[in-house]
Structure formats: C-alpha cells, structure tokens
Amino acid sequence: LREQFSAWAPETMINQFKEAVAARPDCIEIMGHPGSAAFRDLVKGAVDQGIMVTVGNSPMSDLQAEFGSKGLGYAGVDLYEGGKLTAEHMIAQGLKSGDEAMVYGVFSQAERGQSEKGLADTLEAAGLTVDRLEITQEANSDASLAVPILAAYIQANPKLKAIGTQHGGITGILAPTLRKGGKQPGDIIVGGIDLGPATIDGLQSGYVSATLDQLLYLQGFMPVVQCMISAKYKMPGLTINTGAGVVTPATIGGL
C-alpha cells in the first residue's frame, strides 16, 4: 500500500491518480472531492486496463453506478444526512427561529458539498437565517489560513448565534478562534465534523457543541478491503456506511 496526500486539493487528487495509473497497481482508492465529471474518463481508462478503483470519504454516485460491477464501491457516510444530523444536534442546544448562523464549507465541490448543504438546509428549515460562506482552496488545504477570516466574520456579526462546518480542519480551529475573540463556551453554538485532538479539546471545553463522527479510520481501511476482495474474488463494489454518530460535550467523556 502506497499513500499519497493531496492537502484536499481536487486538482492534486487528479494528478496523483494519473501518476498512480502509470504505476499499474492492482487497485487505486480515491476520494471524490473533484467530482464524477472530473474523474470519469480517468477511472474508465484505469478500469479498461484492469485496475480496480474504489472510493472513500466523499462519494461519486455516478461512477459507482457505472463501475460498481468492476469493484468500485464507497466507504463513508451519506454526506447530506451527516450535515443534517449535525444541524439537528446544534438546534437541540438552544438555537431558535430567527437566530443568525453561518455555515462555512466547500459548497461548490460536487457531492462533497452535500455535507454543508445538509447542515445549512436543516438550520434554515428550523427558521434560522443562514449565511453560506465558501472555504477557499487555500484554507481548505491549510485551515490556519481560515482563522483571520472567521475572526473577522465573528467580529462583524455580533448577533451570530451559530457556526457550522463539515470540514475537519476548520472544526479544529473554531474553539481557539472563539476563545481569542473573547467568546465564552456556548455564546456561539458550533457544529463540526471529525474528532481530531483540537476538536476533542473544543468539546471538553464546551466551545464545540456537536461534531459528526464519521469514523475516518474505517473510511481508509474498508476501501483497502474492497480492493482486496474485488481483485481476488471479483466482488462488486460495496456501499459501506461507516457510521454517523454525533459527539457533544455531554458525551465526549464516554469515549
């Protein structure tokens, strides 16, 4: 197994896939951030050469429908439902109709953007006024670059009651950003994703109100299993829901 890190940049993912195909492995696992349109011809070319391809973390439903019989599966969560679940737990912690919220995400990224859309739609359905702010590719790759953006937004919007994101790196910087901005835990309800060390600290301190635990380890492990069973036994692609639990300050101590 050879790993490559793209810094979450779709263009880098495409280039790395081309390099991987040139090495003629038995199987390649990809993430769906660039989208089906960007990946389709490349995946078809790989499959035509006898290379298995499968997907983790961010789905490409069109490709799974087309190449599922060749072993292309998906290990991850239903992104829209994951965002919806995060929003529901944010609302349960005291948000109400008329409150102002900001959802910071990669709305423009094909199916990947469904996470933030599910979060924003659910807050809006509860009557909140939601501002949808796009994460730049620079901040997507290096979350520290989002700190001044978030700090300025919070300062410019004193009535802000909630911040939601479905970006793990951004979730990790929210607690220190709020703390440095003079906010107390609970002043702004924060919903995020994943359980990195900084997010765990944010949950324990109360600055992070809810985070979606999508079990990232399984999103890396299960596509490797998919590669093995498809290459060895010609198994079709599997759809594996890695879990969609939500962790809050009240439950973090039980982990």
Side-chain angles (χ1 to χ4, degrees):
L1 175 65
R2 295 192 59 184
E3 305 93 348
Q4 294 175 305
F5 179 55
S6 66
W8 314 114
E11 183 176 344
T12 301
M13 292 181 180
I14 293 294
N15 289 333
Q16 288 175 337
F17 184 80
K18 293 176 181 177
E19 295 169 1
V21 170
R24 297 301 301 270
D26 295 302
C27 182
I28 304 172
E29 180 210 344
I30 55 179
M31 302 171 88
H33 299 68
S36 297
F39 257 128
R40 194 267 170 187
D41 289 346
L42 296 172
V43 169
K44 183 180 186 304
V47 171
D48 287 347
Q49 295 179 53
I51 300 172
M52 305 286 181
V53 180
T54 194
V55 180
N57 181 256
S58 182
M60 290 183 285
S61 300
D62 292 348
L63 298 190
Q64 191 174 0
E66 185 172 358
F67 301 108
S69 63
K70 303 291 187 180
L72 196 151
Y74 171 62
V77 300
D78 181 315
L79 298 185
Y80 189 93
E81 290 300 317
K84 178 181 177 181
L85 186 62
T86 305
E88 289 171 347
H89 279 74
M90 293 171 66
I91 294 165
Q93 297 197 42
L95 296 176
K96 60 185 184 300
S97 180
D99 284 344
E100 295 182 7
M102 185 267 279
V103 176
Y104 191 36
V106 286
F107 292 97
S108 63
Q109 279 191 11
E111 286 187 71
R112 166 62 185 86
Q114 289 297 313
S115 285
E116 282 84 5
K117 290 174 184 176
L119 201 163
D121 287 352
T122 304
L123 293 177
E124 287 175 340
L128 280 77
T129 300
V130 178
D131 187 10
R132 303 183 185 212
L133 185 65
E134 182 78 16
I135 298 173
T136 65
Q137 184 52 55
E138 291 76 16
N140 188 28
S141 294
D142 182 355
S144 67
L145 299 177
V147 172
I149 297 170
L150 289 165
Y153 189 95
I154 292 166
Q155 185 175 15
N157 294 272
K159 295 182 179 180
L160 186 68
K161 294 296 184 181
I163 297 175
T165 187
Q166 293 287 272
H167 187 293
I170 300 296
T171 303
I173 66 167
L174 284 171
T177 300
L178 290 168
R179 188 181 290 111
K180 291 177 182 177
K183 299 295 183 180
Q184 297 299 312
D187 285 349
I188 294 178
I189 300 298
V190 171
I193 193 169
D194 300 336
L195 279 170
T199 299
I200 291 173
D201 289 344
L203 287 162
Q204 292 172 333
S205 66
Y207 277 98
V208 176
S209 311
T211 189
L212 185 73
D213 183 11
Q214 57 179 333
L215 302 181
L216 290 176
Y217 183 88
L218 288 183
Q219 292 182 12
F221 184 85
M222 294 311 298
V224 177
V225 174
Q226 177 77 69
C227 282
M228 184 276 292
I229 62 175
S230 293
K232 190 171 183 178
Y233 301 113
K234 309 303 179 188
M235 296 283 284
L238 305 175
T239 298
I240 303 168
N241 189 333
T242 58
V246 172
V247 182
T248 69
T251 62
I252 186 64
L255 295 178

